[in-house]
Amino acid sequence: MARYITVTAAVTIAEPRLRAYLRAPLAPASAWPESDWAALCTSWSDRALCGRYLAELPAAVAECDSWLDGDHADHLLDLAGHDDLGLRHDAATGALTLDLDTRVDFELPGMIWAFTVLRGLAEVMAEGDGGLLELTPDWTGGTSSMLLSPRRSTFLDPARDAAALALARDTAFDVRCAVPERGEDESAAGLLERLLGA
């Protein structure tokens, strides 16, 4: 049975750093410690699911790594061609939004893959850059959230980090308001190709 995830991102990043992210090789999921990924496993209200994900974690990270090749642009262009990817960027403010609905054939590796592709943004961020990634699967209630800042990507616990999550969501709303509506003439693939050609 097909599973689907919805991924949203609202970040602030200047265009030169966004281009650097697109051209950078994708780091494997195993580049982050297993204890970090454990926070993704335990972020769901279904305790049995959390336990299953923790047991599956080493194999899920290895499975995800087997899918990762090339740079960030390769993966985003592939998504733009095969999935419902919305991508907008405002050069004046650095506001970047991403909205993705995609099928995943394996639950935990699919979620790890989505966060791996996007957390690479943190590696090129500078002072004042940052944002929020959120992933919602269709097979369980809740959303997993990650805060991005220069060279840091941190999963937020919905209970322990409630105040930080609320602030991050307010900031994400402001970022979305700063991005102009996408024109009819520029698709997600078109925006990526324009950035890569600059």
Side-chain angles (χ1 to χ4, degrees):
M1 179 178 180
R3 304 289 197 184
Y4 291 85
I5 56 173
T6 298
V7 182
T8 63
V11 302
T12 301
I13 184 166
E15 191 168 300
R17 292 190 289 280
L18 177 56
R19 289 197 304 269
Y21 158 77
L22 292 172
R23 294 183 177 119
L26 231 161
S30 55
W32 287 274
E34 191 173 297
S35 58
D36 193 356
W37 290 118
L40 169 62
C41 297
T42 58
S43 60
W44 313 104
S45 58
D46 182 334
R47 302 327 296 164
L49 183 69
C50 294
R52 179 165 63 86
Y53 283 168
L54 285 170
E56 294 173 359
L57 183 56
V61 169
E63 178 68 22
C64 177
D65 279 356
S66 73
W67 305 339
L68 300 174
D69 188 26
D71 57 26
H72 294 94
D74 292 331
H75 284 263
L76 292 176
L77 283 166
D78 186 56
L79 291 171
H82 298 98
D83 293 90
D84 185 9
L85 175 68
L87 193 65
R88 294 181 294 149
H89 184 254
D90 180 55
T93 63
L96 171 72
T97 61
L98 177 145
D99 297 283
L100 171 67
D101 292 301
T102 190
R103 173 182 167 156
V104 292
D105 293 319
F106 305 96
E107 293 176 16
L108 186 57
M111 292 189 293
I112 291 172
W113 163 82
F115 279 114
T116 299
V117 171
L118 295 174
R119 74 191 305 186
L121 283 162
E123 299 306 307
V124 298
M125 286 180 168
E127 192 66 33
D129 292 342
L132 180 68
L133 306 178
E134 295 204 285
L135 182 149
T136 306
D138 72 350
W139 60 86
T140 187
T143 295
S144 184
S145 304
M146 175 180 278
L147 196 60
L148 298 179
S149 58
R151 283 158 297 287
R152 258 191 98 163
S153 49
T154 309
F155 284 103
L156 297 177
D157 181 278
R160 188 185 66 240
D161 303 316
L165 182 55
L167 179 60
R169 285 179 173 157
D170 284 347
T171 302
F173 178 79
D174 292 341
V175 169
R176 287 190 173 276
C177 290
V179 178
E181 288 298 317
R182 179 176 70 84
E184 294 296 319
D185 58 339
E186 187 165 62
S187 64
L191 172 60
L192 290 166
E193 287 163 2
R194 179 170 61 78
L195 289 166
L196 290 164

